[in-house]
Amino acid sequence: MTLAPGAFAATSEEIEKRINSLLQKMTLEEKLGQMSQAPFPPNLPDNAKKEIRKGRWGSFFNAGTPAEKTEAQRIARKESRLGIPLVFAQDAIHGYRTVYPIPLGQAASWNPELVRQAARMTAREVASEGIHWTFAPMIDIARDPRWGRIAESLGEDPYLTSILGSAMIKGFQGESLTDAGSIAACAKHYVGYGAAEAGREYNSTWIPENLLREVYLKPFDAARKAGVATVMTAFNSINGIPATGNVFVLRQVLRGEWKFDGMVVSDYTAIPELIPHNYASDMADAAYKALRAGVDMEMVSTAYYDHAKALIESRKLDPKLIDESVRAILRLKFRLGLFDDRPAPRAATPLAPDALEVAKKIATESFVLLKNEGAVLPLAKSARKIAILGPLADSQKDQLGTWAMGADEKAVQTPLAAFRKILGTDRIATAPGLKNSRDISRDGFAAAVEAARSADVVLLFLGEEEILSGEAHSRAFLDLPGAQEQLVEEIAKTGKPIALVLMAGRPLTFHNPATKAKAVLWTWHPGTMGGPAIADIVLGNSVPSGRLPVTFPRTVGQIPIYYSRLNTGRPASENELGIPLGNPLNPQGYTSKYIDVDFTPEYPFGFGLSYTKFEYTNLRLSTAAVRVGGTLKVSADIINAGQYEGNEVVQLYTHQIAASVSRPVRELRAFQRVHLKPGERKTVEFSLPATELAFYNDQMQLATEPGKFHLWVAPDAVGGIKANFEVVR
Ligand code: GLC
């Protein structure tokens, strides 16, 4: 029977009543079973069926065919003592069968609506296979590109991550969790995982409370406000206490301050990892500390199932904590409608045309034009012959990026395939030059050079393979791997204009190769439709509008480097490089700089070029002095002074000049995408409540402090037009 979506969306009172009555009937073993999650047992063998009948598991994730899930659920509902349904989860991080750009790429679109649509399409594909829950969005703030999982993040800024993470949650969860096309979202990894020291995976994080609250917790607070159904704990320790046993962030903040009533799941074996963290002495202690902190469901490991009973019997563990966790798990299942014959999965064609259309559109909007000397892009119609070179010009797998386990790789349209489809093969010369991005052999160079010589222009596809990106793939060097730089050198010797098209799961350092190219187009790992999207941009059917959601360093030695830094007591200025000649005691030299590289980034947060040129003028404020409880209205005119229609991402930044705690030189407060035809002028307006300027002051209270501010309406985190205002009591 298929009920209308929401027909059984019981009220929270009804759900709590049903939870209570069920809880009273459950044995301790059944409760601990609900708190246990495992990978779906391949082929659903008999012993797994027996365990399901016994109520040994509350959830399975990844693997398992739709038919196997249906059978597993039938057994849970019809053959177990209490008929408690299983909840099935999947890592659908940036798509499932259809793959969208990696989240860091989606963030570069600065387009919440498109991000929401991509998540909605993903939910449709996931739910159609009988899966109820995705382990996404990953909303860890990432400011260190050595960390492989920056690819999964939405970048360095808490405001942008909050907006886009909430958009993903709305896409996954829709209007109602009981809708056949909705799945529960999971805000992860709670919390601070992206601050791993030295960018080394799973490493310790040291985060002072004000930074923790203002930067790392902020997106999770937004996720909670967006109604996220679940949260996943992180692998890292925070100031010496592992996130998965951390009472402060899990009990005091998440449950206490934020009143989160969703479900908390550990990350993969993160509970027993409390032992190597030197935080738990053994498995029983690990189980105790995770339960004490409020981790409801244990992923993969069995510390809860094996040790909670003895902890209760020895009176070390209050059984009420078990009941609290089981409540949270049952609440999720009720909210998903799993007890009430949730509508049967709605059949959905994988890679449906509308999904591919969204995948192409968001990929197109994610690309960031970093350089375009002499307007070599879009390619002139006169470019009769194009050389399409490089190991990433035709690699279906690499284009998908990390965490694309459900992807239909064969469906991926590569740039080479897309250009051939549009231009025909006789206008294209092609050679990979290298077998893959790590290849150090020059055996393929000659063919690539020859192809370049035969063409009018070179599109050179380089970067980082997907296998070099993602979890447990931290890198200490960010240069182009393998012999890619040497390949650029050799191609440059032909004198042909080069457009570098770079694919990667993180910012890389490529200053020298970029000097050899007329244009640089940054395309992240662009997903299933990356090829057609790149072809559209390169051929001028679309105009680049992507803006960097993360700072690109000049060199790995600058990391961590991010725009919302503090000014220091001796701020450096740009181009203040080297040892000043003359007086060695020259006081100008004593500033917060490097002597061997400019302290500024290669490309700043928010940066991106267009084929057209946008001008900013006529910045106006509603008042020069806004009350602490008031709202400042800001407007500015944006003019398209170029020849192409285009989208501009207009960004609003503020800086408080003096406060009880030093404030960053800039903080992103708002942004708007605006579409302008050549010659068109539009007024962009922002409303900035003074409460948005609040920070954790020297008493660790969240408050807006009166004082003087700078404000910018800007195309990125370093430029723009500037005004001053004051906050007054
Ligand atoms: C992984 C990841 C997490 C993922 C989980 C399940 O180790 O840290 O993001 O959702 O395990 O695959």
Side-chain angles (χ1 to χ4, degrees), residues 419-441:
F419 280 104
R420 279 179 166 156
K421 200 166 154 188
I422 297 166
L423 302 175
T425 49
D426 57 2
R427 282 184 59 192
I428 293 172
T430 184
L434 295 158
K435 287 196 188 68
N436 57 49
S437 70
R438 284 165 290 173
D439 188 2
I440 56 171
S441 157

Side-chain angles (χ1 to χ4, degrees), residues 539-614:
L539 298 173
N541 303 328
S542 298
V543 174
S545 62
R547 298 289 180 269
L548 296 179
V550 65
T551 299
F552 276 49
R554 296 173 189 274
T555 171
V556 73
Q558 288 180 294
I559 294 170
I561 180 172
Y562 48 93
Y563 84 91
S564 57
R565 58 186 170 78
L566 297 189
N567 199 35
T568 78
R570 293 189 173 188
S573 47
E574 215 166 337
N575 305 320
E576 195 182 328
L577 190 60
I579 306 265
L581 297 176
N583 174 356
L585 296 179
N586 164 351
Q588 282 71 28
Y590 294 89
T591 61
S592 177
K593 71 174 190 302
Y594 299 98
I595 58 171
D596 52 3
V597 71
D598 193 298
F599 84 102
T600 58
E602 186 77 28
Y603 302 105
F605 176 85
F607 177 79
L609 300 174
S610 173
Y611 291 154
T612 191
K613 185 168 171 22
F614 295 106

Side-chain angles (χ1 to χ4, degrees), residues 200-220:
R200 185 158 56 83
E201 183 59 283
Y202 313 126
N203 204 5
S204 314
T205 71
W206 300 94
I207 313 173
E209 187 179 342
N210 53 357
L211 189 68
L212 182 66
R213 288 180 177 278
E214 285 169 19
V215 172
Y216 295 94
L217 282 169
K218 187 178 170 91
F220 287 91

Side-chain angles (χ1 to χ4, degrees), residues 328-499:
I329 294 163
L330 295 177
R331 189 174 301 124
L332 173 68
K333 295 183 177 182
F334 276 111
R335 285 175 171 169
L336 280 162
L338 296 178
F339 279 93
D340 301 302
D341 301 327
R342 172 184 170 93
R346 196 182 297 147
T349 317
L351 301 148
D354 58 349
L356 294 175
E357 193 44 48
V358 169
K360 180 182 171 186
K361 186 162 170 42
I362 196 166
T364 306
E365 295 200 7
S366 74
F367 300 155
V368 185
L369 184 61
L370 297 175
K371 180 182 181 182
N372 194 22
E373 222 169 75
V376 76
L377 291 181
L379 292 189
K381 303 288 179 239
S382 58
R384 291 301 310 149
K385 188 98 182 229
I386 300 166
I388 295 183
L389 312 177
L392 295 174
D394 195 30
S395 172
Q396 290 179 309
K397 178 166 179 48
D398 290 323
Q399 198 169 308
L400 288 172
T402 186
W403 283 111
M405 60 173 65
D408 181 343
E409 212 174 287
K410 295 182 305 305
V412 174
Q413 298 183 42
T414 66
L416 180 59
F419 280 104
R420 279 179 166 156
K421 200 166 154 188
I422 297 166
L423 302 175
T425 49
D426 57 2
R427 282 184 59 192
I428 293 172
T430 184
L434 295 158
K435 287 196 188 68
N436 57 49
S437 70
R438 284 165 290 173
D439 188 2
I440 56 171
S441 157
R442 297 180 179 221
D443 294 351
F445 279 26
V449 168
E450 190 187 328
R453 287 194 197 294
S454 74
D456 302 307
V457 65
V458 174
L459 300 180
L460 184 47
F461 290 81
L462 301 175
E464 138 182 287
E465 292 153 76
E466 68 83 24
I467 193 61
L468 298 178
S469 162
E471 185 174 352
H473 288 85
S474 291
R475 294 177 60 201
F477 301 96
L478 297 180
D479 304 331
L480 292 174
Q484 295 185 75
E485 289 206 16
Q486 292 80 350
L487 179 60
V488 175
E489 296 280 342
E490 290 311 308
I491 302 295
K493 286 176 188 164
T494 67
K496 301 288 182 176
I498 298 171

Side-chain angles (χ1 to χ4, degrees), residues 61-62 91 93 135 149 152 188-189 193 202 232 235 267-268 299 403 405 471:
F61 69 99
N62 295 353
D91 280 299
I93 312 302
F135 293 140
R149 300 196 80 166
E152 283 176 78
K188 71 182 187 181
H189 306 78
Y193 187 12
Y202 313 126
M232 183 187 294
F235 288 123
D267 202 340
Y268 199 109
M299 185 190 288
W403 283 111
M405 60 173 65
E471 185 174 352

